[in-house]
Amino acid sequence: MSRTRQRRGEQLMVPRAEFESYYGRPIIHAPSWAARDIAGYFFLGGLAGAGSVLAAGAQLTGRPRTATAMKVSSLAAVSLSAAALIHDLGRPGRFANMLRVFKPTSPMSMGSWLLSAYGPAAGAAALSAVTGRMPRAGATATVGAALLGPALASYTAVLAADTAVPAWHGAHRELPYLFTASATAAASGMALIVAPTRESGPARCAAVLAAAAESVVTEAAERRLGLVAETWREGRAGTLMRTARALTLAGAATAALAGGRSRPAALVGGLALLAGSVCTRFGVFAAGIASAEDPKYTVLPQRNGV
Amino acid sequence: MTDRHLLSGPEPDPARDAGHPDPPERVGFFTDTSVCIGCKACEVACKEWNAIPEDGMPLSGMSYDNTQGLGASTWRHVAFIEQKVPAPEGRTELSLIEGAPAAPEPPQAPGDMRWLMSSDVCKHCTHAACLDVCPTGSLFRTEFGTVVVQEDICNGCGYCVPACPYGVIEQRPHDGRAFKCTMCYDRLGAGQEPACAKACPTQSIQFGPLDELRERATLRVDQLHEQGVERAHLYGHDPQDGVGGDGAFFLLLDQPEVYGLPPDPVVTTRDLPAMWRHAGTAALSLAGSIALAFALAGRTKEAR
């Protein structure tokens, strides 16, 4: 065993990885989830959930066009997310099994119940806003969706973290905040795109808050992960995470500086925020797969008593 | 019963706490790898009895191991570890005759080979992450304290797969449903031992009440230590460990990771209360920050 520590170049967070493994095979099984379905589901759930809060806020503060647009966007996002989930299960009939039991130890069970309460609320809110019918029921549904939406955006972090996947479980304290910040960025991006500039003030503020929070939380998660943070920084996941950060910060900056005056700037900023949120979810997903496939990330943290 | 429904930690009676009013004794496997001869009778017996589909015929190049690991269609897996032995330390001399001293060290050149062979299986954890996270109730705790998947209820969500800290359970391709060792639930119900233990010719796989197996295992480790096999140790036997002790535990002759086992696995649901708390706080902060955004935007409008 060599005891020499490399001092040049990047700072080593832990001593060089030395361990034996069984023919280099992974210790845990990586999830067989398709990135498009599940990372897509994380993104769409966040977009829908945070969008419902923006919609309710817009309705309460007299920004009717933003409210309607965000309700429609949330309904679209939640419908697509349910489709992604069902696509991953393989057969539509299998979704019914999700509601066989109510099980707080299973984030997926809780999420299924949440989705089956949030979905109809978001649908009713959007339908009432678009048709103008049953405004009282529509208002109730808007409030309901706004109350359930944040939970929809944050529970997916628990869904990922409650696994033996080192890059997810190791960041289980930070992941919910990262997901809600990313969801807020996505929803404010959507609001910048669909709402008139006159009404987009709150979305611009929210975008800045979300981008700042996302940067801070990503930093904190990587610090906590130690050696496993490599999976967040390297390879496909690293590229996605760096792209996500650049897009989110650029999107928020564009929106804040020019989004109030220029419609094209609002559009560009909004698109960048949405794309940044997509990259964050796919980046975290890819990091998880990478950390599950290399036994190093399972063995060394356990050996080091982390 | 103050310790009921714990997500982690010692759990003396998982079957009763899972709702079986009067369960039989908890049973398990003790796999003593020091007497495994790598015959794979367990793999074959498991396939035969449980009618598990074939895995194809890939040649892995990993010594005599072509099944490579546990999976949907491999519920018992025999690992072959080829090691270069730096003589004399680190060498494992085993006496199969009780009480007999180890054979005198034969002259041995550095670079000699030794094989470690080990039959791996589902650990039937006291706190089983797969069972905890299953959203359908398809995974359940049996009256014997083991963990079984109900095939007709499994909806193929695949959540149990990354939840397992040992990499045991897996989805079957083109089907999506998850499968793993049942400890031959059907045979246990009929008062029989599991097919792998029945077929094992060297008693490397021992089946029985878990407490009794733990005693037997301790004796065996002591015996090996007396014979100078210092690296012999038990793995997964301790009810105080991260998964509350395994229903299937092992006597190993090297580090767990050498066999493809995690050194110190923890059931991830141990942290679930903290995760839900953080998710709740994160949800509130989402709502709060959007409310703040509206407040800020409103104020700037007024200021204009």
Side-chain angles (χ1 to χ4, degrees), chain A residues 46-137:
Chain A
L47 174 61
S52 287
V53 184
L54 270 176
Q59 179 147 350
L60 285 171
T61 58
R63 293 174 170 96
R65 287 181 62 191
T66 307
T68 304
M70 290 316 290
K71 286 176 197 175
V72 172
S73 125
S74 283
L75 175 61
V78 78
S79 308
L80 282 173
S81 78
L85 206 58
I86 287 166
H87 182 257
D88 199 64
L89 291 179
R91 275 188 278 128
R94 283 182 170 173
F95 187 77
N97 273 9
M98 288 285 195
L99 304 178
R100 254 188 100 244
V101 291
F102 184 84
K103 206 170 160 187
T105 63
S106 170
M108 198 179 278
S109 165
M110 300 312 285
S112 302
W113 285 104
L114 192 57
L115 202 62
S116 53
Y118 170 84
L127 279 180
S128 166
V130 169
T131 60
R133 292 196 174 183
M134 296 196 282
R136 197 165 298 171

Side-chain angles (χ1 to χ4, degrees), chain B residues 3-22:
Chain B
D3 55 352
R4 281 191 68 164
H5 307 301
L6 284 180
L7 295 172
S8 62
E11 160 72 286
D13 199 352
R16 194 182 300 274
D17 282 353
H20 297 286
D22 194 18

Side-chain angles (χ1 to χ4, degrees), chain B residues 210-229:
Chain B
L210 199 53
D211 292 333
E212 194 186 309
L213 289 177
R214 283 177 180 150
E215 278 173 37
R216 217 186 292 172
T218 313
L219 288 175
R220 176 65 181 157
V221 171
D222 291 345
Q223 186 191 11
L224 285 170
H225 285 175
E226 275 167 31
Q227 294 179 14
V229 187

Side-chain angles (χ1 to χ4, degrees), chain A residues 22 32 97 100 103 106 159, chain B residues 65 131 133 136 153 159 171:
Chain A
Y22 187 63
S32 57
N97 273 9
R100 254 188 100 244
K103 206 170 160 187
S106 170
L159 177 70
Chain B
D65 180 4
L131 193 162
V133 304
T136 65
I153 293 171
Y159 199 11
Q171 287 167 276

Side-chain angles (χ1 to χ4, degrees), chain B residues 8-277:
Chain B
S8 62
E11 160 72 286
D13 199 352
R16 194 182 300 274
D17 282 353
H20 297 286
D22 194 18
E25 254 184 311
R26 183 177 180 190
V27 294
F29 285 128
F30 164 45
T31 307
D32 178 355
T33 69
S34 70
V35 290
C36 180
I37 54 170
C39 69
K40 300 183 195 175
C42 51
E43 271 195 42
V44 176
C46 176
K47 278 241 183 217
E48 286 276 332
W49 179 263
N50 294 297
I52 307 175
E54 54 107 23
D55 308 272
M57 290 261 235
L59 293 174
S60 66
M62 293 160 42
S63 192
Y64 285 90
D65 180 4
N66 289 322
T67 36
Q68 302 184 45
L70 293 173
S73 301
T74 306
W75 297 353
R76 263 280 176 192
H77 161 248
V78 179
F80 283 74
I81 298 123
E82 291 182 13
Q83 289 182 327
K84 278 220 166 68
V85 184
E89 76 270 16
R91 187 175 153 78
T92 307
E93 277 296 325
L94 295 171
S95 156
L96 298 181
I97 307 155
E98 236 165 276
E105 200 74 18
Q108 191 188 23
D112 268 10
M113 297 300 298
R114 76 160 175 177
W115 264 332
L116 297 178
M117 288 158 280
S118 165
S119 178
D120 194 11
V121 70
C122 169
K123 315 302 179 287
H124 295 275
C125 309
T126 304
H127 296 288
C130 60
L131 193 162
D132 284 345
V133 304
C134 175
T136 65
S138 146
L139 275 149
F140 70 103
R141 177 83 54 189
T142 72
E143 64 272 34
F144 303 103
T146 56
V147 179
V148 172
V149 199
Q150 279 170 286
E151 296 170 14
D152 55 339
I153 293 171
C154 174
N155 70 350
C157 72
Y159 199 11
C160 50
V161 176
C164 174
Y166 294 102
V168 170
I169 196 164
E170 195 186 38
Q171 287 167 276
R172 205 166 272 168
H174 313 300
D175 177 308
R177 290 178 301 165
F179 294 86
K180 70 168 195 74
C181 161
T182 66
M183 211 181 270
C184 288
Y185 188 36
D186 50 347
R187 293 175 65 94
L188 298 193
Q192 303 233 13
E193 64 180 326
C196 54
K198 184 85 183 168
C200 180
T202 64
Q203 293 191 332
S204 171
I205 299 172
Q206 300 180 26
F207 168 81
L210 199 53
D211 292 333
E212 194 186 309
L213 289 177
R214 283 177 180 150
E215 278 173 37
R216 217 186 292 172
T218 313
L219 288 175
R220 176 65 181 157
V221 171
D222 291 345
Q223 186 191 11
L224 285 170
H225 285 175
E226 275 167 31
Q227 294 179 14
V229 187
E230 279 155 21
R231 300 193 86 174
H233 66 279
L234 296 182
Y235 173 85
H237 63 297
D238 183 3
Q240 306 283 340
D241 72 9
V243 296
D246 289 323
F249 64 101
F250 301 80
L251 187 157
L252 303 179
L253 300 174
D254 205 331
Q255 305 283 19
E257 57 268 30
V258 171
Y259 297 86
L261 296 164
D264 187 18
V266 171
V267 59
T268 49
T269 32
R270 182 193 67 181
D271 302 314
L272 193 59
M275 289 187 234
W276 282 130
R277 270 199 305 279

